[in-house]
Amino acid sequence: MIFFAVLGLTFREIQLSFSEELEYSILGISVVFFLIALCLLIWQIYRHCTRFPVSQRPADGLLARSGGFQYATQTNDAKMEVHYEELSHRLSPGTSYTNLGSSLDLASIADLEEENIQGSLRFSLFYDQLQSRLVVTVLDAQDLAVRDFSHSVDPFVWVRLLWAEREDEEQSSMQCVLEEWQTRLVKKSCSPVFGDQFYCTLAEEEVSKVTVRFEVRDFDKYSRQEILGEARAPLNSLKLSYPLELREELQVPKKDMVGEVLLSLKYMPTSQRLEVGVLKIRTVCHPNKTDRALYGRTSITCNHCKLRHQSTTQKKRWEVTVFNEVLTFVLPDQQIRECTIIVSVYEIQPSKKSSKRLIGHIHIKKGKTSEDEHWKLMMQSLRQPIAKWHSIFI
């Protein structure tokens, strides 16, 4: 009976022993939490509606003045790109260049036709004599080509400083990469505005030996990146005492020779073994970068699938670095006869972690080009090592 009597109590009969001040305080806190939740909901709806910006920023939003660089206020379209901040960090100058560089097959450069190259790139160069550093600013690009399947482009610019031992590039065909950077990524824009600025400490007498190479690429997370064109600026013909702004039409990309590798190939059909000997690597060493080490990575691919890979030991970098190491691969006879040998040369700085940088790579396979003559000689001289120098391009 007591139980049913309790159930019979109405809501009005239940009295809480709270003071009036405490009740109003609880009510005020509840209202504040409700307003905060409402603001968060509105912010999430706004982010969802502005996730894919399609408008373009005006080219004059970024100003360059003599004696320095001044940037205009960020526009609303630029704010929309904050949603791609994580992807832009992956392309920031401080990240590793190995993955992006290796995902771009240099053979694709030969597939580009001149009629597919369009657009221009605007950049600024300045040599600060007081601080002895070169300042490179990538400003914007215009009228870039779009992909056929997506009808859009996600461009970024890869900047390399190529240094030659002599000022005349024609007399010194072999170069080395002093520095390389990447601009941030601009999503879905044929006329992107970058505004990224990079610095490199460089002696004044070395400036004339440097060529700045700007490579405009289309980023694709799931496939090979496409080169949209390149622009070059040899510094031996420019006066950089003041910021110099240039706009260059994009050209068909050209390969740069950055070294040579002496390789030895031997094929033994009975034991189904392929031996790749990395004997020597010849590169150009900059005087300020003597604390570097080299190693080679050999990969065997067949039908665009990587089958095996091995790496050499690390050796201190010299003008001619001697390895004399033989890497053995055991594969079925059919795969060996149709495979492609890819030798990639990497540079590392032992004193720093995650300092691996791709210098360049070579491809050896069954084909008709002069670079594949080594493969033909190997198949004609079974069980005999055949050595040959190969150029490293980047």
Side-chain angles (χ1 to χ4, degrees):
M1 295 298 293
I2 297 176
F3 176 74
F4 290 106
V6 173
L7 289 180
L9 292 176
T10 61
F11 182 75
R12 294 178 178 272
E13 295 173 341
I14 300 177
Q15 300 292 332
L16 297 177
S17 59
F18 291 148
S19 64
E20 187 176 353
E21 292 80 4
L22 182 58
E23 291 178 357
Y24 281 112
S25 299
I26 295 175
L27 179 61
I29 294 174
S30 302
V31 172
V32 170
F33 277 113
F34 174 76
L35 293 177
I36 293 175
L38 184 62
C39 293
L40 291 176
L41 178 63
I42 295 174
W43 171 243
Q44 292 296 331
I45 295 175
Y46 171 76
R47 288 187 59 186
H48 178 76
C49 295
T50 59
R51 180 175 297 179
F52 301 104
V54 295
S55 57
Q56 300 172 0
R57 289 178 290 177
D60 55 359
L62 182 61
L63 304 177
R65 298 182 180 178
S66 60
F69 301 95
Q70 180 177 358
Y71 298 96
T73 306
Q74 190 180 29
T75 61
N76 291 332
D77 291 339
K79 293 179 182 179
M80 293 181 183
E81 294 177 359
V82 71
H83 312 295
Y84 302 97
E85 182 180 359
E86 180 180 358
L87 187 57
S88 300
H89 283 318
R90 293 174 58 188
L91 301 176
S92 62
T95 55
S96 174
Y97 304 95
T98 304
N99 295 334
L100 284 177
S102 60
S103 64
L104 179 64
D105 189 356
L106 292 180
S108 63
I109 296 179
D111 300 334
L112 291 175
E113 298 179 1
E114 190 170 359
E115 61 221 18
N116 295 332
I117 302 298
Q118 67 179 51
S120 60
L121 181 69
R122 187 164 66 101
F123 54 90
S124 179
L125 302 172
F126 170 59
Y127 182 72
D128 190 346
Q129 296 180 345
L130 296 178
Q131 300 186 17
S132 298
R133 67 179 185 179
L134 178 67
V135 182
V136 181
T137 307
V138 183
L139 299 176
D140 61 64
Q142 288 186 358
D143 303 325
L144 299 178
V146 299
R147 291 203 179 207
D148 296 334
F149 63 89
S150 62
H151 301 289
S152 64
V153 63
D154 301 332
F156 70 97
V157 181
W158 196 322
V159 185
R160 285 192 179 98
L161 298 186
L162 302 176
W163 179 83
E165 290 182 319
R166 303 176 185 176
E167 294 184 15
D168 191 353
E169 188 178 346
E170 295 180 357
Q171 295 180 4
S172 179
S173 58
M174 193 179 302
Q175 304 177 78
C176 73
V177 179
L178 280 183
E179 295 287 347
E180 54 183 353
W181 311 285
Q182 297 175 43
T183 65
R184 63 188 182 87
L185 182 70
V186 179
K187 298 288 288 186
K188 297 184 179 181
S189 177
C190 295
S191 298
V193 177
F194 298 103
D196 293 286
Q197 194 171 80
F198 309 102
Y199 307 92
C200 176
T201 303
L202 197 64
E204 188 172 0
E205 59 271 12
E206 298 287 334
V207 175
S208 58
K209 301 179 182 180
V210 173
T211 299
V212 185
R213 173 180 169 180
F214 302 89
E215 199 171 90
V216 183
R217 298 185 180 185
D218 180 22
F219 179 80
D220 193 333
K221 183 178 180 180
Y222 300 104
S223 67
R224 189 175 61 190
Q225 299 166 28
E226 181 179 351
I227 302 178
L228 303 177
E230 74 166 19
R232 292 174 181 256
L235 302 187
N236 58 355
S237 59
L238 301 176
K239 295 182 179 180
L240 305 179
S241 55
Y242 293 96
L244 178 63
E245 184 177 309
L246 300 171
R247 179 175 292 279
E248 296 288 339
E249 296 294 326
L250 296 181
Q251 306 294 329
V252 177
K254 298 179 181 178
K255 296 180 181 181
D256 293 292
M257 182 178 174
V258 292
E260 293 178 313
V261 180
L262 179 59
L263 290 180
S264 172
L265 299 180
K266 183 170 70 171
Y267 173 47
M268 292 169 285
T270 304
S271 57
Q272 297 183 344
R273 287 196 304 171
L274 176 65
E275 293 185 357
V276 180
V278 181
L279 306 181
K280 299 178 181 179
I281 297 179
R282 179 188 297 145
T283 57
V284 177
C285 295
H286 190 269
N288 295 338
K289 294 189 175 184
T290 56
D291 58 337
R292 302 296 194 270
L294 296 180
Y295 76 93
R297 178 186 174 94
T298 302
S299 303
I300 305 296
T301 63
C302 186
N303 294 328
H304 303 286
C305 296
K306 185 179 293 186
L307 303 178
R308 301 282 191 279
H309 69 271
Q310 294 186 45
S311 299
T312 66
T313 57
Q314 298 176 8
K315 300 284 187 178
K316 181 176 174 58
R317 181 172 182 175
W318 302 96
E319 228 176 89
V320 178
T321 308
V322 180
F323 288 88
N324 288 335
E325 297 185 22
V326 177
L327 309 177
T328 303
F329 300 90
V330 180
L331 294 169
D333 182 72
Q334 184 62 29
Q335 290 184 349
I336 292 180
R337 292 182 179 271
E338 300 297 332
C339 70
T340 300
I341 303 173
I342 303 176
V343 180
S344 304
V345 180
Y346 291 92
E347 175 191 74
I348 62 171
Q349 193 170 355
S351 59
K352 293 183 179 180
K353 295 182 179 180
S354 303
S355 62
K356 181 174 69 172
R357 183 179 67 85
L358 175 67
I359 293 182
H361 44 216
I362 61 175
H363 292 72
I364 303 174
K365 61 181 179 179
K366 180 181 179 181
K368 298 181 180 180
T369 62
S370 58
E371 193 68 25
D372 303 324
E373 183 68 22
H374 198 179
W375 181 273
K376 182 179 178 180
L377 294 175
M378 177 192 71
M379 300 305 293
Q380 291 176 351
S381 305
L382 299 177
R383 303 178 182 86
Q384 297 294 326
I386 305 297
K388 190 177 185 297
W389 283 97
H390 295 269
S391 300
I392 306 174
F393 292 100
I394 195 168

